[in-house]
Amino acid sequence: MKRLLRRAPVTHGVNTERRQSTALHFYQNRQLELYASKQTKRLTLRQLVFFGRSMNEERLIQSGNYVRTELPVRIAHRIRDLQALPYVVVTQEGVARVYELYWSAFEKFRRYPEIKTLSDNEAFCAFLRDILEEHAAVIPSLSLGLSLSSPYLPPDQLDSFMRRMLVSRISRRVLAEHHIALSEHFARRDSRSGDVGIIDTGLNISESVNKCVKFLRDRRFDLEEDGVDMPDQDKEWPEVVVEGHLNAKFSYIREHLEYIVFELLKNSMRATGLKHLDKSTLPPIHATIAASTDEIGIRISDQGMSSTSGRVIKASPQDLFSFSHTRNAARLETSRIGALRTVSSSKQGMKATVDEQLQWWKRRRRDSAPSFDVDARSDDIETEAGVAPHPRIGIGLPMSNIFARYFGGSLELISLDGWGTDAYIRLPKLGTNLEGIEL
Ligand code: COI
């Protein structure tokens, strides 16, 4: 530790006060050690469904107390991770902000009294909602901080750190949001819906895919961000042929599935648009759904540039998941850092789910002039309504990968040079895998 503090920190716009309080925390670690020495109690999707299916007062309170005691353990592990980073990294803009947020959340959870009654639980849900809101910008903040730190960390270390941070964050939000949803359903005595907490027990995959397709194709065709002039105002984004097992359903967190599908389709559309600039009609994208006994597979095939980001990249497509600039040079691009700065310093962070994005656009459409163009541009991300849901900050693919792996699935990208890219999403159908968090 002393060694770290003695090193002259290279910082990018970190304020001194924040740096001092960050350093102070290094000495306030007793409670943290206590929590970080505990094992996390990981769950499977199936356990979440079974437990939540027949809710009563006692079980709801039990669920609340599980979240209350489990979250500080998960946060403590990640604070320890942050403390193991070189000082030059933990003091970077973005990382320092997340470190402070986590400390504050850790202290609040640790001190939160036991939940004994339904009204205690209501108060606990309000507390959770506030923290979820407070942490809205954690991902862009981390992404900003780690991009700026990329020159100081070996790529393997950087990527495994980010993976642990992001998976753990997803897991904490899942537990918090699931408990809030269970509590809301219980309060409404809502036993008819197919939802158990945030899990849709009859999630219709083709409906989700079609929803993403519609949202994406409703935008005006525009590749100006990629430096392309857009004289052809009538051109449309490529059609998406949805095929395969169109009636397949499974139990899953709809927001996670839609996040992944949306990001992959968006990338495929851009890549196709860029490759076929000279054509008035673009070759279709194929989204194929395959349901086997224990797995749901979705393949998204495009005939775009052979990289899912729409750029010609020599590195392997998997490097697009990386947060290290040595694997993915775009991480240090000025426009990306600028967009990350804007999003991470906004109170609202990003609109993470496809539904949130849709609502955002609808609100903005309603509030804006009739000529409103439904596409977000990086120079257009700060608006009166907040921050656009999808500025190009480069986290869609790594996050999709992490969402896919959270309950034991996978995401693989295979490019055929000169032809296009196939993205394979595989998600376990039985829900028996434990959350993929480390510790
Ligand atoms: C996060 O969003 O980063 C969280 O940790 C949220 C959780 C404390 C409810």
Side-chain angles (χ1 to χ4, degrees):
M1 197 70 65
K2 274 189 192 131
R3 189 178 55 79
L4 294 178
L5 291 171
R6 249 190 274 123
R7 263 203 240 162
V10 181
T11 58
H12 295 261
V14 180
N15 88 35
T16 323
E17 228 169 77
R18 188 185 295 280
R19 195 165 60 214
Q20 278 167 355
S21 74
T22 302
L24 268 182
H25 287 150
F26 278 81
Y27 301 100
Q28 299 173 335
N29 267 358
R30 255 195 39 221
Q31 284 300 328
L32 187 76
E33 292 301 341
L34 201 72
Y35 279 80
S37 66
K38 295 183 191 177
Q39 286 281 335
T40 51
K41 296 189 182 112
R42 294 185 296 157
L43 298 174
T44 65
L45 197 96
R46 181 173 276 214
Q47 280 171 321
L48 288 171
V49 172
F50 278 5
F51 184 85
R53 194 162 249 158
S54 46
M55 220 2 103
N56 58 34
E57 187 171 331
E58 195 191 333
R59 284 161 82 88
L60 195 59
I61 289 170
Q62 200 183 335
S63 162
N65 282 314
Y66 163 72
V67 174
R68 180 182 66 86
T69 51
E70 178 66 11
L71 289 192
V73 175
R74 295 190 184 200
I75 296 172
H77 285 289
R78 298 296 67 90
I79 297 178
R80 291 297 289 126
D81 259 356
L82 281 157
Q83 292 182 339
L85 291 171
Y87 192 62
V88 57
V89 176
V90 86
T91 48
Q92 290 293 343
E93 172 187 0
V95 183
R97 197 177 300 142
V98 171
Y99 186 72
E100 298 297 335
L101 273 174
Y102 281 9
W103 258 106
S104 153
F106 170 69
E107 285 296 319
K108 286 182 191 163
F109 274 105
R110 183 169 78 74
R111 291 163 196 273
Y112 203 97
E114 188 185 346
I115 301 159
K116 294 184 174 147
T117 62
L118 278 183
S119 87
D120 289 350
N121 186 54
E122 247 172 66
F124 182 60
C125 287
F127 162 80
L128 286 178
R129 281 188 204 97
D130 284 349
I131 295 210
L132 286 165
E133 184 85 24
E134 230 171 79
H135 285 226
V138 158
I139 292 181
S141 294
L142 268 180
S143 184
L144 170 66
L146 269 292
S147 295
L148 294 172
S149 311
S150 178
Y152 314 111
L153 279 177
D156 281 345
Q157 189 188 348
L158 193 161
D159 282 332
S160 70
F161 167 80
M162 266 310 252
R163 193 185 59 245
R164 286 195 301 279
M165 294 299 282
L166 296 177
V167 176
S168 171
R169 189 207 190 230
I170 291 177
S171 80
R172 293 190 305 268
R173 289 184 88 85
V174 162
L175 296 189
E177 286 168 358
H178 188 65
H179 178 67
I180 292 172
L182 287 177
S183 303
E184 287 170 354
H185 293 175
F186 184 72
R188 289 200 305 265
R189 299 284 185 268
D190 182 2
S191 57
R192 272 168 307 138
S193 111
D195 291 348
V196 175
I198 56 167
I199 300 161
D200 184 339
T201 56
L203 177 57
N204 185 315
I205 300 149
S206 63
E207 266 175 25
S208 282
V209 174
N210 281 319
K211 173 165 137 193
C212 297
V213 171
K214 171 155 178 15
F215 181 18
L216 284 164
R217 292 199 78 231
D218 275 352
R219 301 170 307 155
R220 182 167 72 82
F221 183 84
D222 182 358
L223 291 167
E224 275 171 24
E225 253 190 274
D226 296 281
V228 177
D229 278 342
M230 290 280 103
D232 182 358
Q233 295 294 320
D234 296 329
K235 195 159 171 169
E236 296 202 316
W237 291 104
E239 231 178 273
V240 180
V241 180
V242 184
E243 58 198 10
H245 297 149
L246 297 179
N247 295 322
K249 292 182 181 168
F250 75 141
S251 280
Y252 212 71
I253 301 173
R254 186 168 50 83
E255 288 177 356
H256 289 193
L257 173 78
E258 289 178 358
Y259 184 99
I260 305 170
V261 170
F262 183 87
E263 288 302 323
L264 294 175
L265 283 173
K266 182 160 59 89
N267 284 335
S268 283
M269 288 193 182
R270 279 188 52 236
T272 308
L274 280 171
K275 173 132 181 247
H276 303 276
L277 279 175
D278 50 334
K279 299 198 184 114
S280 57
T281 313
L282 300 170
I285 293 164
H286 287 258
T288 313
I289 299 165
S292 69
T293 333
D294 49 12
E295 186 177 273
I296 292 292
I298 307 171
R299 181 185 58 202
I300 296 178
S301 293
D302 66 54
Q303 291 177 44
M305 287 216 171
S306 29
S307 119
T308 47
S309 78
R311 293 155 201 265
V312 184
I313 287 192
K314 297 272 181 293
S316 112
Q318 307 310 319
D319 285 351
L320 296 167
F321 299 152
S322 176
F323 282 87
S324 166
H325 78 292
T326 55
R327 290 180 175 158
N328 182 350
R331 292 287 164 215
L332 281 178
E333 275 174 8
T334 316
S335 63
R336 205 159 266 195
I337 297 284
L340 278 169
R341 252 193 198 116
T342 311
V343 182
S344 62
S345 58
S346 112
K347 273 209 168 65
Q348 302 177 31
M350 292 187 321
K351 304 288 169 280
T353 69
V354 173
D355 285 342
E356 276 174 339
Q357 292 181 49
L358 265 168
Q359 277 161 19
W360 190 92
W361 286 124
K362 276 186 197 151
R363 243 195 340 268
R364 195 174 154 185
R365 251 183 184 156
R366 207 179 47 222
D367 298 344
S368 63
S371 62
F372 172 66
D373 150 25
V374 217
D375 210 2
R377 307 215 193 107
S378 59
D379 60 351
D380 184 30
I381 55 182
E382 195 69 79
T383 71
E384 66 295 344
V387 169
H390 253 267
R392 290 265 294 284
I393 56 177
I395 60 174
L397 268 185
M399 282 307 293
S400 298
N401 183 38
I402 286 179
F403 275 124
R405 290 166 58 160
Y406 175 49
F407 277 123
S410 65
L411 170 62
E412 206 182 347
L413 304 174
I414 299 176
S415 282
L416 208 52
D417 249 352
W419 184 257
T421 299
D422 283 359
Y424 291 87
I425 310 161
R426 291 191 172 87
L427 299 173
K429 209 169 148 189
L430 306 177
T432 48
N433 293 330
L434 281 172
E435 299 166 90
I437 50 171
E438 292 157 53
L439 292 171

